[in-house]
Amino acid sequence: MRVTIADVAREAAVSKTTVSRVLNTRADVDAGTAARVREVIAALGYVPSSGAVGLARGTSRTVAMLTPPLTWPWMGEVLQGVADTVEAAGYGLLLYTCNRGAESVSHFTGQVSARAFDGLLLVEPENTLDTVTAMHRRGLPVVLIDDRGHHPAFPSVATTNREGGASAARHLLATGRTSPLVITGPRDFGCVRDRLDGFLDQIPGALVTEGEFTETSGRHGVERALAEGRDIDCVFAHNDLIAAGALRALREAGRRVPDDVAVVGFDDLPMARHTEPPLTTVRQPMRRMGETAARLLLARLAGDVLSDAPVVLPTELVVRRSAPAL
Amino acid sequence: MRVTIADVAREAAVSKTTVSRVLNTRADVDAGTAARVREVIAALGYVPSSGAVGLARGTSRTVAMLTPPLTWPWMGEVLQGVADTVEAAGYGLLLYTCNRGAESVSHFTGQVSARAFDGLLLVEPENTLDTVTAMHRRGLPVVLIDDRGHHPAFPSVATTNREGGASAARHLLATGRTSPLVITGPRDFGCVRDRLDGFLDQIPGALVTEGEFTETSGRHGVERALAEGRDIDCVFAHNDLIAAGALRALREAGRRVPDDVAVVGFDDLPMARHTEPPLTTVRQPMRRMGETAARLLLARLAGDVLSDAPVVLPTELVVRRSAPAL
DNA sequence: CTGAAAGCGCTTACAG
DNA sequence: CTGAAAGCGCTTACAG
């Protein structure tokens, strides 16, 4: 049998109102009464029902997070940043993944309307941006962790993709490289365009080939360039998976890295330390993105008004052996 | 203004009871009435409040998951397996991480008592097993995803750690290796003892050194063995991070992999494909562990009685170039 | 087939 | 400083 506030009230010989007051530490309770109530609470092991509290207060002290498949290499970092921040504020975190496509999304939208949570954090809402924008318009607090360069009509957290691309180019130039091959992600991603623009600002003549964010894509990109007899001395890969594929293709073609060809990736996944040679890459602060987005959302729930202008976190070039300093 | 069941009832000129009945698709409602109510629901965009439903029904249709830091390399897989299964059943998934130590745990236990969820899934409950065992005794349905070999007093899902160790040894023997170095994880992990026992059953004389589950540990393990002049022709690492460190140390010492020394890891993390050479490893079905644990918990919530005997999923040797077949 | 009423476990004006 | 009562939005016997 569940212990309720009524049990505590009876045992302490006060009203439920008074118990509720000491629970919520209101000032206007006699110190003696409060002490007695607290004793009873401890003795009975009473804990308020979060559901009942939520119903009475009209708020759930829970936020939701909608994510792409959790197997994305950097999702763990983002999620951990979110979880830490949300937990520290005493909120619960409800997780939804879009792993099952349309079905997931409709299940999710049902939950939203059910007011199972007070606010929403989301990453990479493929085919979801319209739905979410509508929810936001109807009053649901939303913050996007924008790794795709979406520039949505609500608050978001992003990184300096353009500057990241530029920093890769500057590093390559500074170390004497002049003929890059750029292997991009899909062009319809805003982040891909930004990374490319930043790079081309520094090295306008770069050879560019569009790829996907996979190792296979990196391998094919290099193989094709070599087969066409292109004269390259470095590769800028739009993420670390592409870079890993490029490393492999270069090795198989007998090109030494970094002696013949330097390679720079993007993201700084854990695996970037384990490739041969270890990968120079543009680090994205995924954990801080999660923390920042969560902090924004909690501020919004506490009453702050948020700007729709994205909060932009800096990328950082991490130099390892695949493209060493001079 | 929120649309409630009362609004629907008024608009459809029926009682709240009737609306509730069509909501829960009970048979005993006149077809015409039901149709009319459904129209009103659609017209008003009514969605039941999950909090109110939960309070009235005494169940939240939510399960919680308590995890170690999400940056553990295989947590994404486990979590995805759990999320898919839980979502498909129409349940919500509340995530708690033990990232903040004792504070996390106490926050978490508060949530438990608050009945914010109906059941609990957990991974690797460092310093948590006692608390959780107590909760289970008090009636909270719990399923452990046991990657540590805990053998708890409640239902759990594990893998064949002992057979996994044996399969690594058999593969090495079959490919002509006779002098292994085993670099283990911490000995107080049940899984470490099991992997080691399975290996030693096949190769009793193996050289064994205790390590941690880190790359550094793998590197040191190999460096020490070589410095001591040990004559090794293969390494069995207790996870893939250790194996990655071993690969690096071997290369730096001028030993060729696999020609001079073969290397076998454990887990089959995504990075196992990206090492040089790609890693032969004992694959643990982390996603299936998540799915299986979630399925067990949901069955329990549906009224099934669960056995405390662990459900054991098979490991599988994945052969790549670091320890090729003949 | 349908509805009035009680109940789930809290919080919050309101009154004293 | 304290309590009775209404209300949050549902479900569920119970009665018809």
Side-chain angles (χ1 to χ4, degrees), chain A residues 5-88:
Chain A
I5 198 173
D7 300 323
V8 176
R10 189 180 331 106
E11 200 73 17
V14 296
S15 69
K16 294 190 297 175
T17 307
T18 296
V19 177
S20 175
R21 276 197 270 254
V22 347
L23 245 22
N24 298 287
T25 56
R26 299 225 187 290
D28 48 357
V29 181
D30 176 86
T33 312
R36 184 156 37 94
V37 171
R38 262 189 281 273
E39 270 169 33
V40 174
I41 286 176
L44 265 43
Y46 167 70
V47 180
S49 148
S50 61
V53 174
L55 182 58
R57 271 211 275 251
T59 170
S60 58
R61 282 192 81 77
T62 297
V63 301
M65 183 162 179
L66 181 63
T67 73
L70 268 7
T71 45
W72 248 224
W74 40 256
M75 273 305 305
E77 286 285 342
V78 175
L79 203 50
Q80 187 67 59
V82 167
D84 286 347
T85 308
V86 162
E87 279 178 24

